[in-house]
Structures are given as structure tokens and as C-alpha cells.
Amino acid sequence: MDIERIMNDLEKKHPGEMEYHQAVREVLESIEEVYDENPQFESAGILDRVIEPDRIFTFKVPWADDNGNVQVNLGYRVQFNNAIGPYKGGLRFHPSVNLSILKFLGFEQVFKNSLTTLPMGGGKGGSDFNPKGKSNAEIMRFCQSFMLELWQFIGPDTDVPAGDIGVGGREIGFLYGMYKKLKREHTGVLTGKGINWGGSLIRPEATGFGAVYFVKEMLTSKGESIDGKTFALSGFGNVAWGAATKINQLGGKVLTISGPDGYIYDPDGISGEKIEYMLELRASNEDIVKPYSYEFPGAKFFQGKRPWEVKCDIALPCATENELGKEDAQNLINNGCTCVAEGANMPSTPEAIEMFQEAKVLFAPGKAVNAGGVATSGLEMSQNAMKLGWPSEEVDERLHHIMISIHETCMEHGREDDGYVNYVKGANIAGFLKVANAMLDQGVI
Ligand code: NDP
Ligand code: 2IT
């Protein structure tokens, strides 16, 4: 495999799309050996085909704000690869959204979904719409206008969107309502739906729960457990909330959460009503974690800082891409952190990952750790197709099994000669092989 040739071509075709290039390079470096051992992949041009999205839709999203002023945002859906199932992946509403971010997320989603063992291809979409400070009515009008374009590209067997940053249960409701009206069909076209109208129990918790189940497996492989361990978390959204809940259930202590304004350090641990308070903070649409320190005076707020300077056993970045760099990695290593698991998508920079691996810190990438969210979306699709709903214990048990299976797969493909498990390599190789073999079977299309 000529990685530099492939990367040069990609950079020419998609200039300046740094996040997309970063995600592709990481996968290429991981799969190089396996790819070269299987010349049938090269003969079928698998690599050149798998790194390029199948198609991208872009559209204008006009809407009127509460003052009657017309606003215009950009909307996108990237359908990346459907070799193993319908396109599947979330929608992100955040001012930073652009095609580089959505291509990186769509690309990662292809391999993540492959790891879940469920039949789902990869896609991603969203808008540069900023939910911060918007009223409920504005969010609704925006979602309705967004769906007025999106509906023609999606369907329960074609492309099934869900939530991501800035898109939770409320937005999925508004989006679904408009889809249903336009299509005149009540089908499983979005996941993360409300429990009374086709949603699955445990889907809101699933990404965070799954991430902690994965950490549990990582620790078990070293003869350790979550009980008594301290955790530094970033973010204060859906993933951080689910993770904090499960960590507490398993006897761990959550010391930090963070927002774009800084981080909260709570030495007593973020548990019970404090976890519920995270939901309130997020729902306020105010984009800040500082109020936590007024509500719970035992906690301290560190303006403009990241939580990675806090001494912890385990770090769980759950906010956004490239939020953990070289210096942060050095801080964590110096402070004795032994395990880093990515709840968010690509939160660690390549330099940080290299440092963790060199220091033999247990490190697992987002496409393995946070796969429980989309896996439970897959379980929601199964329930919709059967027109029934499973009890929460059943969904949770299936989720738990899927996370154990992803962990085993990473160990199988990522174990190095000295016994250290390179989870990045393991996840990328296993995710890639399934997709590549499906593409081989289906010919050049
Ligand atoms: P949410 O919108 O619920 O929360 C994201 C959180 O991170 C928000 O609190 C956000 O604040 C905060 N944040 C954004 N930028 C920063 C920053 N620079 N520093 C600290 N905090 C920041 O999104 P999710 O919890 O759903 O998503 C979090 C991550 O997990 C993303 O990478 C997402 O792609 C990934 N993920 C989500 C899944 C899901 O099921 N929801 C599944 C798998 C992965 P703000 O938005 O206000 O800037
Ligand atoms: O990044 C992700 O895996 C998600 N945002 C969840 C996608 C989904 O389809 O549930």
C-alpha cells in the first residue's frame, strides 16, 4: 500500500479537509499489512473506493426566527458506504459543521457500524445551525425546514439518521414529525425516537453505557475492575451523561465534566442528583458548565481549561474531535492515568494516541468505545421492523454482549508481540475486513 500516494490524491480531491484526511490516514496506517497480504483488495480497487463517500447531498435550510427574521443555514447528508447495510449515522447541529467534519464522521461510521455485528452501512449529516440560545419554536422550525429537503434521500431501508452533537430526543421528534407528514408513513426512518412512538428503551443511555462496558472489558483483561477507580470525563452532553450514570453504578467516581467554557472538578464525585443536573444544563441550550459550581459549591470551575490536568485512573473524552492533544496526553501519563477510552469521535490527536501507545497506556478509539450508541440504534431498527418493543433489560443485555464482542474482536486483531493490545489497529482491521469483503462480493459499483 502506498499511503503517501493515496493521501496525496485525497488531499488534491478534498483540499483543506483536515479532519477527513486525519481519519483516513489513521485507518490506512492500521490496515496496511492486512491489505498487502490480500492482493484481491487491490485488484478490486477497494481502498480508492472505500475512502470516498458514495454521494453527498447539500441543501439550503431557510427558516424564520422568533423576530420574524429569515435565517439561512447549510444542510448536508453524506452517504458514505452501504456495503453491509443501509447508510446509518447521526445528524450534528453545530456551527463548526462542514464537509470535512461530516466526511470524517461518515468514514469512521462505516467501520464502527461494521464492528457492531449488525447490518448497517455508514453515513453522517447535519448543519452549521447553532442551537445555542434558540427557543423551542425556533428549533422546531429549523428541524422542519431541514427535513423538507432531507426526506427524499432517506428511508428505513435506504438511510437511517439519528442524533449526534446538538441533536437529541427533542430534535429527532421534530424531524420525525415532518418526515411522517411528507411521506405519509410511520416507519423506522430515524432512530433515537420517543419511547411512545417507535423508540427503543436504553437508546438515550446506550453510547455512555456501552463506553463503560468497553472500559470494563479493558480493565478485566488486566485483572482490574471499575470499582474504586477515578474518572475524568469531558463534555456534558448525552454521552458524558450516560457514561457518568454507568460509572457510578459500577462503583467508579466521576471527578470532572467540561463544556466549551472550561471544566468542573468535583472532588466528592459527580453522582445522583448531580448527574440529573447535567441534563438540565444541557437542555438550557446555554452551552456552559460553569453554573454547576454555583449549584454544588464543593465543586470548582476552571475557566478555559481542559480536564486532562486532573489526576485520574481513567480518562473518557466525551465532547468533540481533537479535544485531547500532546500536552494533555503528557499530563495524563505523568499523573498515572492507565486507561483512555474515547466516548467521542476522534477526540485524541494522532500525536496524543502515539504517546499513549508508547507509554503502554490502555487506549481504545471512538469507533470501538462509542459503538454502543449506533448498535442500539440498530436494535431500534430491528424492533421497528418487527413492530414490537423489547424490555430495557433485553436491550441492555444485547448492548452489553455487543460491546464484549467488539472488545474481543479488537483483542484478536490488535494484540502485539509483547502482549500489548493496539485497539486502534484491532478496530480498524476488523471493521475494514468485513466491509472490504462485502465490497468484493458485490463487484465494482
Ligand atoms: P451533545 O450535544 O449531547 O454533547 C456534546 C457536548 O460536548 C456538549 O456539551 C458540547 O457543548 C460539548 N463540547 C463541544 N465542544 C467542546 C469543547 N471544545 N470542550 C468541551 N466540551 C465541548 O453530543 P453527544 O454527547 O451526543 O456527542 C458527544 C460526542 O460523542 C461527539 O463526538 C459525538 O460525535 C459522539 N457520539 C455521540 C453518539 C450519540 O449517540 N449521541 C454516539 C457515538 C458518538 P456545545 O455543543 O454546546 O459546544
Ligand atoms: O457517532 C455516532 O455513532 C452517533 N452519533 C450515533 C449514530 C446512530 O445512528 O445512532
Side-chain angles (χ1 to χ4, degrees), residues 292-351:
Y292 182 106
S293 58
Y294 308 140
E295 191 77 15
F296 304 105
K300 270 198 195 145
F301 173 67
F302 292 85
Q303 177 98 31
K305 293 272 178 97
R306 296 166 169 182
W308 316 126
E309 58 191 27
V310 168
K311 184 173 166 50
C312 63
D313 298 314
I314 297 164
L316 230 64
C318 299
T320 194
E321 56 275 356
N322 292 326
E323 53 153 322
L324 195 164
K326 236 161 114 176
E327 269 179 40
D328 304 313
Q330 194 61 59
N331 280 339
L332 286 168
I333 294 168
N334 290 348
N335 283 331
C337 171
T338 56
C339 175
V340 180
E342 296 187 329
N345 286 309
M346 210 168 74
S348 315
T349 64
E351 297 77 26

Side-chain angles (χ1 to χ4, degrees), residues 147-160:
M147 188 51 85
L148 269 172
E149 283 288 334
L150 185 70
W151 76 280
Q152 44 194 328
F153 312 128
I154 61 176
D157 296 316
T158 314
D159 183 352
V160 184

Side-chain angles (χ1 to χ4, degrees), residues 144-212:
Q144 291 176 338
S145 180
F146 185 85
M147 188 51 85
L148 269 172
E149 283 288 334
L150 185 70
W151 76 280
Q152 44 194 328
F153 312 128
I154 61 176
D157 296 316
T158 314
D159 183 352
V160 184
D164 193 78
I165 292 180
V167 179
R170 174 182 58 169
E171 291 74 19
I172 293 292
F174 294 148
L175 291 162
Y176 189 76
M178 187 48 110
Y179 179 86
K180 188 175 61 114
K181 185 172 175 104
L182 291 163
K183 189 78 181 169
R184 301 189 187 177
E185 252 179 33
H186 202 302
T187 51
V189 69
L190 296 166
T191 58
K193 298 187 291 297
I195 198 63
N196 295 325
W197 42 278
S200 174
L201 289 163
I202 305 291
R203 177 62 189 91
E205 295 88 346
T207 310
F209 276 24
V212 179

Side-chain angles (χ1 to χ4, degrees), residues 111-133:
F111 305 106
K112 181 195 303 191
N113 293 3
S114 161
L115 286 171
T116 64
T117 70
L118 303 173
M120 298 181 288
K124 201 85 186 189
S127 172
D128 60 356
F129 173 73
N130 186 359
K132 185 178 172 183

